[in-house]
Amino acid sequence: MQFYPDRRRSPLGPDAILPEFTVDLRQLNDLKQRCKSAGLSVAGVRLLVLHALLHSESGPTAVTLQRTLDKMLGQHHTPGIASVQRALNSLATHGIVERIVKEDRIFHYTLPQDVEHAEDDEPVPLLTFVDANTDRETLCNEPELTSLLRLVASQCGYNLKEAAMTVATGAMAPCPRAGRCQQVS
């Protein structure tokens, strides 16, 4: 078996990132939690891409992110553009990042608003349930449901900012997860 010392068998970790490229750990942990709740592992290239997204300017392309990673990793081996693109595709499919097509007809990637501008520990609820009988609104903090909605929207080519669902009350049992929801009106 031949040995190629210039090629890595495992991807670099965040410890290879130069110190001047530090990111907000709260935002990074929020993204990791989103990945975990969506059933996506956060290691290797995906983790490096999340670091690059947090450090880059608004709406970078895959090539821009790969160049950012090249600067962040210094002398270390930078993942190729195909690896970066695969990581971005999986993150966009699971609703972790938002994929936007601009006038240049190239995919640009952004983080959801509640990750970019998180000022408190609680993420902003994406889904609002509206009672069909009373018009009472209830904000829903279910990460699984939020991930599913973002996934469906991204597959249809939409950028989901918020959603409302009309529900009917009746002879339904009380929700076992009612503690995660908050009534608005």
Side-chain angles (χ1 to χ4, degrees):
M1 174 185 243
Q2 290 182 334
F3 178 68
Y4 299 101
D6 59 330
R7 296 186 184 179
R8 296 187 48 82
R9 291 184 154 264
S10 61
L12 290 169
D15 53 332
I17 296 174
L18 296 175
E20 59 264 20
F21 293 101
T22 58
V23 295
D24 184 8
L25 290 179
R26 198 173 87 227
Q27 289 177 334
L28 182 64
N29 288 335
D30 185 32
L31 287 170
K32 285 181 181 180
Q33 183 60 37
R34 286 173 187 256
C35 290
K36 185 177 177 183
S37 66
L40 193 63
S41 67
V42 186
V45 177
R46 281 191 201 125
L47 186 57
L48 291 173
V49 166
L50 289 177
H51 271 272
L53 269 169
L54 286 170
H55 193 270
S56 66
E57 297 174 10
S58 179
T61 63
V63 173
T64 307
L65 286 172
Q66 201 259 348
R67 288 181 184 150
T68 301
L69 281 173
D70 195 31
K71 292 175 189 171
M72 291 174 81
L73 296 172
Q75 298 295 322
H76 295 290
H77 176 73
T78 305
I81 188 65
S83 298
V84 171
Q85 187 64 55
R86 276 192 301 273
L88 286 168
N89 285 341
S90 65
L91 291 169
T93 301
H94 287 85
I96 310 302
V97 298
E98 296 172 353
R99 184 182 353 220
I100 302 166
V101 180
K102 293 189 177 179
E103 305 85 40
D104 57 4
R105 296 170 46 181
I106 297 174
F107 287 134
H108 293 263
Y109 298 89
T110 61
L111 295 171
Q113 283 301 106
D114 52 342
V115 173
E116 288 178 349
H117 304 292
E119 295 179 6
D120 53 359
D121 293 333
E122 286 295 314
V124 177
L126 172 75
L127 182 63
T128 304
F129 289 124
V130 180
D131 190 329
N133 299 329
T134 63
D135 288 336
R136 181 178 292 160
E137 294 181 359
T138 305
L139 298 177
C140 179
N141 283 328
E142 274 302 315
E144 295 89 6
L145 191 54
T146 301
S147 296
L148 178 65
L149 287 173
R150 287 189 192 278
L151 173 66
V152 171
S154 70
Q155 288 177 346
C156 295
Y158 294 109
N159 184 8
L160 190 64
K161 296 294 181 192
E162 62 182 58
M165 193 176 293
T166 304
V167 294
T169 57
M172 297 180 358
C175 176
R177 296 180 171 189
R180 293 189 182 184
C181 300
Q182 17 175 258
Q183 240 168 12
V184 177
S185 60

